[in-house]
Amino acid sequence: MASGTQRGAGSWGQPAEGQRSSPGACYRELSRFPAVSCAALGATAGGQGQGQGQAFLLHTECRQPDLPRRRLLRFSRHYSVQRTERGLAISRAALSTEIHNRLLGQDSPSGQRRAVLVRRPPQGHELLEVWDGSGRSHCVDLTALGKHGAVYTEGPFACLAWSHLETQLLYVAERSRPTLPAACPGQVPGAAEPAEDEDEEGEQFVYHEGWGEKLSTCSAPVLCILDIKSSSVSVLESVPEHVSPGQALWSPGDTGVVFVGWWHEPFRLGLSACSNRRSGVFHLELAGGHCELLSVPNRASFSPRLSPDGQRLLYLEGAVGGPHRQCLQLRLLTWQTRQTVTVLDVVQEPTGSESSFTGIYTDALPLQCWAADSRRALLCTPQRSRTDLLLVDTETSTITNLTAGSPEGCWELLTIQWDLLVATCSAPHHPPSLVMAELPPLGQELPLRWVPVEDTPPVPGITWKTLTVQQNSAPHSAGPQTFEALLLSPTGGTTPHPLVVCPHGGPHAVFDARWRPSMAALCQLGFAVLLVNYRGSLGFGQASIECLQSRVGEQDVADTQVRSSKQVLMVGR
């Protein structure tokens, strides 16, 4: 990487062999590295980011464990970014500041305004605020308006989207329901309510089916629009009653809303971490209330992203039923003609090459994923035991892996604006670093020149490598016979290392080569760690996922045992 702003963590105090730190102290030391959760670029008064010499402001939000207080510390960092003939020049623009009570945040398309949803104690009211260069310009107490319940701030439904004209905000909240009224002074508890409320008496005790694990408070989401000038909120009532809406954005010209709708049938339970629930991409016209299904029926379609020119809609699509997470298609809809094509299809079995494309397994496309040419798009997805950044030409369906072969095993795109990429990268021995790059013209993307913004040094005393395992055929085995594992080992010393074996949960998940403080701590304490991506893990093709069906608890266990028994001998040498 080229030089830029580097904020190292300082020198490491590596204890001598036989003088290991306590487990608690070791974990506290290794968990102090912040992870960047989101980033946004804003153009300065010089324009919209075209040409050389353009200045930008980079805003990031970070999360860091606060172990003594058992909470997650959230804070912001700000940087100044300058395009020059030599490339990007980056410097810290302000000191870090802690973020309090903020639930959601989103910058406007021009980068000149920011919308934030905050919760104000002690009543806990939710306020939607708009900030610009002069300070806070608008503040609306959503709770006091009473148009809906709590705003969705995380999970598959949540969104906060600016209209293209930056006059309205779109978000998702729980439908308003009757609540238990507070007792009036002098009123006897349990006394009858006035006649006009008799129809709703007791409704606050009715059970409403939620959307399951991590979404138990989400039952009936509704689309809501805040008009910034009038500070008024409207709930869109034309959404079909058989679906729950989420992941909404504005259609071209701000005449409608594009959203994802999840079918309620056969039941709501079980949406978290399940890309196999029936869903579709819809378009709702604001004027007439007409709602149109844009994607094909009886599929799982989600994560819509509109191109900068408003002519193309990109989204992910998969099969309904089967494994809870699967290999997905990348679909493209032309807005004017409503014609849909498959840009990238499901990969059944990747080719033997390590750099070959293995399919899409991500939960969602980045919120900002389109290049300025409205032709190329970027996404991050597991590719075997790595998570790589891929560039997709939507016209030719060609893929360029921008991070293949890099020493970092996990790349996550935070945003791309005005063809400036902001990403984080990490490895099992390397805490996350924040980096930036300029996206070159079409056909000239490689090599991509990454510039460090916050560069964290590697942790000494840890080495890692990817192991490929060839499993022999057995009565409980089917499909592909090859899988992988990540081996983390302490460096130095002559005595054998005890081995800790970790199969991931899911079972359709993956251990990618990212930074994990708990695993690094085990290495610092003298253990070797084996992270097993048994057959059925994401990132190795759809055939690998399906071969685990009806064999959970047998094939995955056998793969882990085979890998572990072989590795015990290797680590002990």
Side-chain angles (χ1 to χ4, degrees):
M1 296 180 185
S3 61
T5 300
Q6 298 191 17
R7 299 288 192 270
S11 59
W12 287 88
Q14 180 74 1
E17 188 171 1
Q19 299 179 349
R20 302 285 183 185
S21 301
S22 69
C26 185
Y27 181 74
R28 283 193 297 271
E29 175 68 16
L30 294 176
S31 60
R32 64 188 175 89
F33 298 99
V36 183
S37 57
C38 61
L41 281 165
T44 62
Q48 295 289 321
Q50 301 296 329
Q52 300 290 338
Q54 178 61 46
F56 302 86
L57 291 176
L58 173 61
H59 167 78
T60 64
E61 293 186 9
C62 306
R63 298 184 179 185
Q64 183 179 22
D66 187 352
L67 298 181
R69 291 187 284 179
R70 296 183 179 182
R71 70 186 186 97
L72 196 61
L73 184 67
R74 300 173 60 214
F75 60 94
S76 62
R77 285 173 171 172
H78 306 270
Y79 307 88
S80 175
V81 181
Q82 185 78 27
R83 264 180 171 157
T84 68
E85 294 182 355
R86 296 182 177 181
L88 297 177
I90 307 169
S91 60
R92 184 81 67 86
L95 296 176
S96 302
T97 55
E98 187 174 359
I99 298 173
H100 297 281
N101 304 318
R102 183 180 297 180
L103 306 177
L104 278 177
Q106 185 62 47
D107 283 18
S108 64
S110 66
Q112 302 297 322
R113 311 172 84 184
R114 175 172 297 141
V116 294
L117 178 72
V118 298
R119 179 174 290 129
R120 294 299 186 198
Q123 295 85 0
H125 280 210
E126 293 179 335
L127 280 64
L128 193 51
E129 302 175 341
V130 176
W131 295 75
D132 56 25
S134 301
R136 191 178 71 176
S137 60
H138 297 81
C139 179
V140 180
D141 189 335
L142 301 179
T143 305
L145 290 178
K147 294 294 187 69
H148 52 71
V151 177
Y152 290 13
T153 59
E154 57 186 3
F157 297 106
C159 66
L160 183 59
W162 283 88
S163 62
H164 298 92
L165 297 178
E166 302 187 4
T167 59
Q168 296 175 299
L169 286 165
L170 176 65
Y171 60 95
V172 178
E174 181 71 11
R175 182 177 295 277
S176 180
R177 300 188 189 279
T179 57
L180 185 66
C184 298
Q187 179 181 349
V188 179
E193 295 295 314
E196 58 269 24
D197 295 330
E198 289 181 357
D199 291 340
E200 295 184 356
E201 185 176 357
E203 287 296 319
Q204 65 270 19
F205 304 111
V206 174
Y207 170 73
H208 298 281
E209 185 181 62
W211 272 102
E213 179 187 10
K214 297 184 179 180
L215 302 170
S216 58
T217 60
C218 303
S219 176
V222 291
L223 299 177
C224 307
I225 294 178
L226 169 67
D227 185 278
I228 296 175
K229 186 177 181 180
S230 64
S231 297
S232 61
V233 171
S234 58
V235 176
L236 303 183
E237 300 292 351
S238 300
V239 175
E241 295 183 356
H242 62 276
V243 299
S244 287
Q247 299 183 8
L249 62 143
W250 294 87
S251 63
D254 296 338
T255 59
V257 171
V258 176
F259 67 92
V260 176
W262 284 268
W263 267 254
H264 298 156
E265 297 295 335
F267 41 75
R268 284 177 171 83
L269 296 178
L271 181 59
S272 179
C274 294
S275 62
N276 61 348
R277 290 299 304 267
R278 185 185 178 190
S279 58
V281 178
F282 294 82
H283 175 236
L284 175 63
E285 294 180 357
L286 296 180
H290 174 68
C291 193
E292 172 190 7
L293 177 62
L294 300 177
S295 57
V296 297
N298 301 315
R299 296 281 286 175
S301 306
F302 55 96
S303 193
R305 302 290 184 261
L306 189 65
S307 62
D309 62 5
Q311 299 301 311
R312 297 178 169 190
L313 187 71
L314 204 63
Y315 60 92
L316 299 173
E317 188 170 279
V320 174
H324 68 96
R325 295 188 65 186
Q326 307 183 38
C327 188
L328 302 171
Q329 292 177 320
L330 184 65
R331 302 273 283 171
L332 179 69
L333 178 140
T334 302
W335 188 260
Q336 295 296 333
T337 63
R338 295 297 199 266
Q339 292 182 343
T340 305
V341 297
T342 299
V343 178
L344 299 178
D345 209 342
V346 172
V347 176
Q348 290 294 329
E349 295 190 38
T351 61
S353 172
E354 293 185 0
S355 59
S356 63
F357 175 60
T358 65
I360 300 176
Y361 307 90
T362 183
D363 291 329
L365 297 172
L367 285 176
Q368 302 285 346
C369 69
W370 283 97
D373 58 13
S374 294
R375 171 172 173 170
R376 295 173 293 173
L378 294 104
L379 59 93
C380 297
T381 182
Q383 299 288 283
R384 295 183 172 87
S385 296
R386 294 175 54 92
T387 293
D388 281 318
L389 176 57
L390 307 181
L391 178 74
V392 181
D393 186 333
T394 60
E395 292 188 7
T396 62
S397 298
T398 54
I399 307 165
T400 302
N401 192 325
L402 299 177
T403 56
S406 64
E408 296 83 12
C410 178
W411 289 78
E412 297 178 338
L413 179 68
L414 299 174
T415 188
I416 174 174
Q417 295 171 259
W418 305 297
D419 281 349
L420 293 177
L421 282 70
V422 184
T424 60
C425 57
S426 69
H429 72 305
H430 195 166
S433 293
L434 181 65
V435 295
M436 287 188 66
E438 290 186 86
L439 183 65
L442 180 67
Q444 305 176 28
E445 293 87 1
L446 293 178
L448 204 59
R449 185 172 179 266
W450 293 101
V451 179
V453 180
E454 292 284 349
D455 193 12
T456 306
V459 175
I462 301 175
T463 61
W464 69 279
K465 59 182 176 180
T466 303
L467 307 174
T468 302
V469 184
Q470 184 69 35
Q471 173 69 292
N472 295 326
S473 297
H476 57 260
S477 300
Q481 300 301 310
T482 301
F483 61 98
E484 291 184 352
L486 297 171
L487 177 64
L488 286 64
S489 305
T491 57
T494 57
T495 58
H497 304 297
L499 179 67
V500 177
V501 180
C502 300
H504 60 72
H508 303 296
V510 65
F511 275 133
D512 59 2
R514 71 174 61 221
W515 168 254
R516 293 179 175 85
S518 58
M519 303 304 171
L522 287 172
C523 283
Q524 290 271 304
L525 294 170
F527 293 89
V529 180
L530 188 68
L531 308 177
V532 183
N533 285 322
Y534 48 79
R535 286 171 295 166
S537 302
L538 302 179
F540 296 84
Q542 181 68 13
S544 175
I545 294 174
E546 293 177 348
C547 80
L548 187 58
Q549 298 303 296
S550 74
R551 298 178 180 87
V552 176
E554 298 179 3
Q555 180 176 290
D556 47 354
V557 173
D559 288 353
T560 303
Q561 290 174 336
V562 168
R563 180 65 262 166
S564 303
S565 62
K566 293 181 179 179
Q567 202 56 49
V568 167
L569 299 176
M570 183 179 299
V571 176
R573 290 176 181 173

